[in-house]
Amino acid sequence: MKSNKNIVLIGMMGSGKSSIGKILSKKLKLTFIDIDQKIEESENSKISEIFSKYGEHYFRKIEEKISLKYLNSENSVISLGGGGFINASIRKMCKKNCLSFWLDWKNETIVERIFKSKKRPLAINLTKGQINNLIKERSKFYSLSNHRINCNKLDKVEIINKISDIYEYE
Ligand code: S3P
């Protein structure tokens, strides 16, 4: 039986939430919503500019408002920002309206991807040890999701198939 709930993808920066979400939404004929993109549209600024001009606290407030708005939609695949699921109100809304999937990778993969990317203000000055600590802290919250997908030995198509199989039979 097919679920009516949204799919929400959670996990660290660099876990592939946006790229996997986009393809997954096409496969399941659902709407794709990228929360970071919605934040940028609503603020008319890049995430990095919002961080540098107004700071993280301001960003988190906007992130909460935008996430709650879109988590309330229907028939969507939603890619949450890496810090979104740490917020209790966002988590509560995910539980109510969505099936959540944690895209879980080994730390080295995440660290490598974060170091390669220049567009992530939160991680730009972090050392490997600090990123490892962040992963450890956040994993406590990510593990509250409905399904943990161990992505380490899977390619993109296998990850997408795994999520869509769970969704279709939920
Ligand atoms: C953040 C992750 C980013 C973005 C912002 C903060 C985080 O999203 O929301 O830079 O706190 O982990 P991605 O996970 O899509 O990179």
Side-chain angles (χ1 to χ4, degrees):
M1 204 185 62
K2 194 176 174 302
S3 168
N4 286 322
K5 291 184 168 183
N6 296 320
I7 289 178
V8 63
L9 301 180
I10 68 160
M12 282 295 290
M13 301 165 254
S15 59
K17 300 181 294 283
S18 300
S19 67
I20 287 169
K22 226 173 269 172
I23 305 170
L24 180 66
S25 67
K26 287 208 181 91
K27 178 174 167 151
L28 293 171
K29 298 192 172 53
L30 300 173
T31 307
F32 177 62
I33 298 172
D34 186 312
I35 297 296
D36 283 346
Q37 192 189 328
K38 296 293 181 193
I39 293 172
E40 291 188 336
E41 284 168 13
S42 103
E43 292 291 291
N44 211 8
S45 298
K46 292 271 162 219
I47 302 270
S48 56
E49 284 165 9
I50 305 173
F51 266 79
S52 64
K53 273 195 197 154
Y54 306 111
E56 184 177 352
H57 183 69
Y58 177 84
F59 171 80
R60 295 298 172 200
K61 281 205 308 207
I62 306 294
E63 179 181 46
E64 178 181 278
K65 187 178 96 187
I66 302 282
S67 301
L68 294 180
K69 173 178 166 189
Y70 286 101
L71 287 166
N72 207 21
S73 46
E74 288 177 350
N75 299 319
S76 301
V77 175
I78 299 164
S79 154
L80 218 55
F85 209 67
I86 312 309
N87 174 306
S89 309
I90 295 177
R91 270 202 318 280
K92 198 168 164 196
M93 184 64 102
C94 287
K95 285 275 169 217
K96 189 172 152 217
N97 248 12
C98 313
L99 267 188
S100 51
F101 293 86
W102 171 20
L103 303 183
D104 187 22
W105 298 87
K106 61 179 190 288
N107 288 17
E108 295 89 278
T109 308
I110 294 296
V111 170
E112 195 180 305
R113 289 182 188 171
I114 288 177
F115 279 159
K116 269 192 197 150
S117 157
K118 297 198 177 13
K119 61 168 192 162
R120 295 194 161 97
L122 192 86
I124 213 136
N125 293 317
L126 297 185
T127 62
K128 189 176 168 188
Q130 287 168 325
I131 297 174
N132 281 328
N133 284 339
L134 189 64
I135 295 173
K136 195 172 165 204
E137 276 307 306
R138 287 192 169 177
S139 296
K140 292 180 204 155
F141 296 98
Y142 295 155
S143 65
L144 301 172
S145 61
N146 297 116
H147 298 281
R148 169 176 171 251
I149 307 295
N150 180 347
C151 297
N152 292 310
K153 294 198 175 110
L154 305 177
D155 64 24
K156 212 178 246 184
V157 173
E158 289 170 324
I159 296 171
I160 289 160
N161 288 344
K162 205 162 192 173
I163 298 173
S164 61
D165 283 353
I166 297 171
Y167 181 71
E168 298 276 7
Y169 287 101
E170 191 70 33

